[in-house]
Amino acid sequence: MSISDIRLVVLDMAGTTVADDGLVEQAFNAAALALGVEPGSPEHEPMLAHVRATMGESKISVFRHLFGNEERAQRANRAFEQAYHDLVEAGHCAAIPGAAEAITELRAQGRTVVLTTGFSRATQDRILTALGWQQIADLTLCPADAGRGRPYPDLALTALLRTETDSVREVAVVGDTGYDMLTGTRAGAAVVAGVLTGAHGAERLRADGATHVLASIAELPGLLGAR
């Protein structure tokens, strides 16, 4: 099977198809403050480092790790989502250059495109609405749709099942974080492509299983169209 036989493309959102521009960190700072952790404080710095290292993971999972008990984690998650929603509503949300065109071209090539996220469904829908992307993909998935978020394979495998794709060898998983790469490799995807427009660099992407590293999502249709 060649790379041109890929039928299903599972794309991450923030950092891959949607510009992050520090929004996750800004929203995290608001969540930390809601839990009494001042941005810039000695307690805050290792927390922020963990957020950066685990970009791509389900946000509630990150907050469970950081804040311990479920009540505090849920409170932090609500504050994070509200802050992120406010930033999106204020216009701080843009597509990665060439992303919409790449998605359109992938579908024109006959491939199914699924957009996935580590955010909640409410946050994902806010982003899609802000970009006018409600119909841009064949399917959108968040961790609640799949069971577990990244780095588990659930999002990619749920995309395969929902789209009735025949084999994991017909799947490409694309993202900007090591956790995206782990999701792809654990799902058995034939192509696990990292992009350099988000959280992690080429070394981290390759260490976590990237089969390809691209400058941006704009290069993906050309890669999959190669014979």
Side-chain angles (χ1 to χ4, degrees):
M1 182 176 290
S2 74
I3 198 169
S4 62
D5 293 320
I6 295 294
R7 302 264 57 84
L8 171 62
V9 183
V10 182
L11 298 176
D12 171 52
M13 291 179 63
T16 303
T17 54
V18 181
D20 175 57
D21 292 333
L23 298 190
V24 167
E25 290 191 15
Q26 291 179 58
F28 167 71
N29 289 341
L33 190 59
L35 273 291
V37 180
E38 291 280 346
S41 67
E43 185 182 4
H44 177 264
E45 290 306 312
M47 288 184 169
L48 182 58
H50 180 77
V51 169
R52 289 170 175 162
T54 58
M55 284 288 192
E57 185 177 358
S58 169
K59 293 299 172 280
I60 186 60
S61 297
V62 173
F63 291 129
R64 284 175 180 139
H65 174 86
L66 292 176
F67 295 108
N69 69 62
E70 187 68 13
E71 187 276 329
R72 282 170 57 80
Q74 291 290 346
R75 188 147 52 95
N77 196 56
R78 287 192 296 271
F80 174 90
E81 290 191 351
Q82 186 58 58
Y84 201 97
H85 293 177
D86 289 345
L87 289 164
V88 170
E89 292 296 317
H92 301 292
C93 183
I96 294 285
E101 294 82 357
I103 294 169
T104 299
E105 187 174 348
L106 289 167
R107 295 180 76 187
Q109 291 173 350
R111 308 182 208 280
T112 300
V113 176
V114 177
L115 288 174
T116 65
T117 185
F119 295 139
S120 70
R121 168 59 63 183
T123 302
Q124 185 179 40
D125 285 345
R126 290 278 184 115
I127 296 168
L128 293 169
T129 298
L131 296 176
W133 279 12
Q134 297 94 327
Q135 306 300 322
I136 198 169
D138 295 282
L139 179 67
T140 62
L141 295 172
C142 67
D145 299 318
R148 297 173 299 180
R150 307 180 191 107
Y152 298 102
D154 302 29
L155 280 165
L157 294 177
T158 298
L160 178 145
L161 292 169
R162 295 272 189 97
T163 61
E164 299 183 347
T165 301
D166 291 342
S167 168
V168 293
R169 305 310 297 166
E170 296 177 329
V171 178
V173 173
V174 186
D176 66 297
T177 72
Y179 276 29
D180 292 304
M181 305 301 96
L182 289 171
T183 290
T185 57
R186 291 172 179 179
V191 171
V192 181
V195 295
L196 299 176
T197 50
H200 297 152
E203 184 176 357
R204 169 74 184 271
L205 296 171
R206 289 195 177 96
D208 285 336
T211 59
H212 302 78
V213 175
L214 309 176
S216 81
I217 193 69
E219 296 182 355
L220 186 64
L223 171 68
L224 298 184
R227 292 188 179 273

